[in-house]
Amino acid sequence: MNPPEGFAEFVAARGTSLLRTAYLACDFPDEAEDVLQSALERACRNWHRLRADAAPEPYVRKIIINLAISRARRRAILRFIPTHSPPDRPAPAASDVELRQVLVDGLRTLPPRQRAVVVLRYWEDLTESQTAQILGCSVGTVKSQASKALVRLRAWLGEEVTGLVGS
């Protein structure tokens, strides 16, 4: 199947930005590529629905966020299913970790909805109303989720920075 007209150009132009969004929205870095691929597949199938003057990036970004939240929910449910051996956990970050990696690790401590708000508001630099539109919620919800997320990140970063300096 050949991609619809304009789809390949869109992916070439915006693929890296969309991958960054997926990377920040997902719990695990390996999952980001899968989420992006699934989102692009859905967008390709529904490309004909987009108006000629509509920007496809918010549409694809919304798919990415929804997929990331769905996967996080699925993982949360699977945590209750007993396993014979505990799952592997990543090793703690070394003391020379760059600030960017520390921030990404901090993002992963947030619940999926708060993580999505932080990624869209601060990494993607969207307005509160644009973020609310993508997430399908009110501007007030975006504000409260962002506030709660920033409190959690500040507390987590305080512990991480103290741990890095104390080492």
Side-chain angles (χ1 to χ4, degrees):
M1 176 180 125
N2 291 330
E5 183 180 333
F7 183 75
E9 294 81 9
F10 166 74
V11 172
R14 302 307 304 155
T16 303
S17 174
L18 292 170
L19 180 59
R20 181 183 65 231
T21 300
Y23 177 76
L24 294 169
C26 292
D27 284 336
F28 303 102
D30 301 341
E31 191 175 68
E33 291 177 2
D34 292 339
V35 165
L36 177 59
Q37 184 175 357
S38 296
L40 290 175
E41 177 192 358
R42 289 182 186 184
C44 183
R45 281 185 292 171
N46 296 308
W47 195 255
H48 65 280
R49 291 184 185 170
L50 293 172
R51 295 188 328 262
D53 62 338
E57 188 170 1
Y59 175 73
V60 176
R61 196 180 293 135
K62 183 173 184 168
I63 295 170
I64 289 170
I65 296 298
N66 287 339
L67 285 172
I69 290 171
S70 293
R71 286 176 178 235
R73 285 181 184 146
R74 191 174 314 122
R75 261 192 315 284
I77 291 169
L78 292 176
R79 284 187 199 137
F80 295 112
I81 299 174
T83 58
H84 295 297
S85 61
D88 292 336
R89 302 262 186 230
S95 62
D96 61 343
V97 175
E98 296 178 10
L99 179 59
R100 182 178 181 89
Q101 186 60 45
V102 172
L103 290 172
V104 170
D105 290 344
L107 270 178
R108 293 201 175 97
T109 67
L110 297 175
R113 192 86 163 167
Q114 289 179 7
R115 183 181 324 125
V117 168
V118 170
V119 168
L120 293 172
R121 282 284 293 129
Y122 302 106
W123 252 283
E124 294 297 324
D125 200 28
L126 298 180
T127 65
E128 290 167 342
S129 60
Q130 289 170 326
T131 302
Q133 184 179 10
I134 288 173
L135 295 175
C137 63
S138 70
V139 172
T141 300
V142 169
K143 289 179 181 181
S144 69
Q145 292 292 306
S147 175
K148 290 175 186 176
L150 291 177
V151 166
R152 288 182 72 162
L153 280 175
R154 284 184 186 113
W156 188 86
L157 283 172
E159 295 169 11
E160 283 299 305
V161 171
T162 303
L164 290 175
V165 173
S167 301

